[in-house]
Amino acid sequence: MKKNLKHLIGLQDYSTKEIKEIVDLGEKISLSPKKYSNKCHGKILATLFYEPSTRTKFSFESAMLRLGGNIIGFSDANTSSVSKGESVADTIRVMSFYADIAVMRHPKEGAPKLAAEYTSIPIINAGDGGHLHPTQTLTDLLTIQKYKGSLENHVIGLCGDLKYGRTVHSLIKTMARFNTKKFVLISPEELMLPNSLKRYLKENYDLEIIEVRKIEEIIEDLDILYMTRIQRERFFNEEDYLKLKDSYILTKDKIKNAKKDMIIMHPLPRVNEIAYEVDEDKRAIYFNQAKMGLFVRMALIMKLLEVE
Ligand code: CP
C-alpha cells in the first residue's frame, strides 16, 4: 500500500479541521465551479456500485467530469466479473491499475474498508449497508453551512428511520463534533436510533438528546428538520415495512408553527415522507442539498488526489 494514502471510509478518521477544509473548499467551488474545470485533467475515477444509486453515483461522475477527469465503472455488479464470484478484494486490486481513485457502494458493512486494504488508490465509501454514508454527510454539512451560515449550535430534528438510516448515523456522529446544541429524535418505537449510538453521544459530548413520536410536538424548536425514508431494503419482512412505511408524512400543516428560517433537509430519494406541497416552501431545500453534493464531491476528489 502507498504510504500516507488517505481514503474516506468514515469521517471518524478525519479531524474536524480536515472535514471543515473539505466543506469550505466545496463552498468555494459552488461559487465559481468553472475555475476548477481542469484540476483533474488526465485522472480517472472508478465508480463501483454494488447497490442502486442516483445522486451519489452521478454526482461523483459529474464531479470528476467537471474537474476535467474521466470516469469508468459499473452500476450493476452483475455486468462485471462479480457475477462470476469475484471478491471485492480481487476486484479492487485490479481496478487500481485502471483508475486513480475509486468510489464504492456495497450492501455489506465494511466492504469499502476491506477494499482499502487491497489497493494502491484512494477508496471512498459511498454507503456500506446500514452503516455509514460519509459523502452524504459532507453534502449535508455543506448545505447546513450554506443555508444556516455555520455548522455550530443548532437544534437538529431527525425524523423517520433512525435505526437503519446510514445517512442519519453518519450525520449525528459528525454534527456532534461541531457543537450541536440538541438532537431531537423523531421515530416510531421500532425504528429508534440504536442504543449504542445514543450511549456514544452521551459519553462523548455535552449535548441534549430527546426522543418524541410526533413532529408537531417539537417543530417550533428546530433549526433543522432532517427527514428520512423508511429503508425498505433493510427490513427482514415486507409486513413490518408496510406497517411502518407511512409513519411520517410532512405536510404544510405540520410545519405551520416552524421557525421562519428552519431548513427542511432530506438525503433523497423520498417516497411518501414529504408531501409534494411542501416543495414550494422556501425552507424546503432538499433539492439544493443534492446540488451541494456535486460541489463537495469535487472538493473531496481534489483533496484525496492532492490536487491544489
Ligand atoms: N442520498 C443518496 O445516497 O441518494 P442515492 O441513493 O440516489 O445515491
Side-chain angles (χ1 to χ4, degrees):
M1 195 189 288
K2 240 196 217 170
K3 218 168 157 226
N4 297 329
L5 178 70
K6 195 134 202 193
H7 307 285
L8 175 55
I9 304 304
L11 287 168
Q12 72 279 0
D13 302 329
Y14 283 46
S15 68
T16 50
K17 184 169 170 276
E18 287 170 317
I19 294 171
K20 191 70 170 64
E21 274 173 14
I22 296 167
V23 172
D24 288 347
L25 178 58
E27 187 163 17
K28 253 173 88 179
I29 295 171
S30 76
L31 299 173
S32 39
K34 289 213 168 84
K35 271 196 197 159
Y36 298 81
S37 62
N38 216 21
K39 293 285 183 188
C40 289
H41 178 74
K43 300 285 185 191
I44 298 175
L45 170 85
T47 50
L48 312 176
F49 277 65
Y50 294 75
E51 261 196 346
S53 167
T54 297
R55 276 144 293 274
T56 313
K57 180 173 185 293
F58 293 114
S59 65
F60 262 116
E61 292 181 348
S62 178
M64 191 47 144
L65 292 170
R66 284 171 194 270
L67 289 167
N70 291 296
I71 53 169
I72 56 175
F74 56 74
S75 53
D76 175 359
N78 288 321
T79 63
S80 75
S81 286
V82 172
S83 64
K84 301 171 204 158
E86 188 167 44
S87 66
V88 165
D90 285 0
T91 301
I92 197 63
R93 264 183 156 146
V94 173
M95 291 307 291
S96 307
F97 303 131
Y98 308 149
D100 301 290
I101 183 166
V103 185
M104 177 183 284
R105 173 172 287 186
H106 201 285
K108 283 207 183 114
E109 290 187 11
K113 187 166 189 271
L114 177 93
E117 286 167 21
Y118 288 89
T119 185
S120 56
I121 60 171
I123 299 293
I124 300 171
N125 178 4
D128 59 330
H131 188 215
L132 295 171
H133 192 350
T135 69
Q136 180 63 48
T137 302
L138 290 173
T139 300
D140 299 341
L141 264 60
L142 174 54
T143 308
I144 292 169
Q145 177 160 300
K146 196 130 176 146
Y147 287 88
K148 298 299 290 178
S150 153
L151 295 175
E152 312 243 343
N153 295 316
H154 298 305
V155 176
I156 305 176
L158 300 123
C159 177
D161 186 347
L162 309 187
K163 181 178 180 183
Y164 297 115
R166 59 191 173 196
T167 61
V168 167
H169 301 166
S170 284
L171 182 63
I172 286 182
K173 279 187 180 165
T174 310
M175 284 305 284
R177 297 166 68 186
F178 287 95
N179 299 322
T180 290
K181 202 188 283 177
K182 183 170 167 182
F183 286 119
V184 180
L185 308 175
I186 311 157
S187 73
E189 192 152 355
E190 296 86 337
L191 298 176
M192 284 164 71
L193 194 75
N195 282 330
S196 55
L197 187 43
K198 276 184 270 185
R199 218 172 22 249
Y200 167 82
L201 291 173
K202 284 178 186 158
E203 284 170 5
N204 290 285
Y205 299 97
D206 179 25
L207 51 78
E208 199 181 337
I209 303 173
I210 64 165
E211 295 187 287
V212 298
R213 294 280 167 264
K214 287 189 166 177
I215 300 175
E216 304 88 299
E217 279 178 46
I218 198 73
I219 190 79
E220 58 264 43
D221 286 355
L222 304 180
D223 300 313
I224 298 164
L225 173 59
Y226 195 94
M227 296 296 296
T228 62
R229 175 175 67 86
I230 307 294
Q231 306 268 308
R232 182 181 204 154
E233 63 277 29
R234 313 271 175 235
F235 278 76
F236 293 108
N237 71 68
E238 183 74 0
E239 217 174 275
D240 288 348
Y241 168 72
L242 292 174
K243 197 172 86 188
L244 295 168
K245 77 181 177 68
D246 291 329
S247 299
Y248 298 102
I249 301 178
L250 194 69
T251 58
K252 273 185 175 175
D253 189 52
K254 286 190 181 143
I255 54 171
K256 67 175 188 284
N257 295 325
K259 290 180 185 170
K260 295 266 176 291
D261 64 348
M262 183 191 79
I263 55 172
I264 306 166
M265 299 176 67
H266 190 308
L268 303 177
R270 90 173 126 184
V271 185
N272 281 335
E273 57 280 358
I274 302 181
Y276 281 82
E277 64 179 23
V278 176
D279 295 358
E280 65 200 43
D281 190 298
K282 69 175 176 29
R283 294 169 290 188
I285 57 154
Y286 26 88
F287 290 108
N288 287 340
Q289 183 181 348
K291 186 175 171 187
M292 293 304 121
L294 169 67
F295 303 125
V296 93
R297 288 178 175 114
M298 287 170 78
L300 178 64
I301 292 169
M302 283 178 60
K303 287 279 181 197
L304 290 179
L305 289 178
E306 297 179 2
V307 170
E308 290 297 321

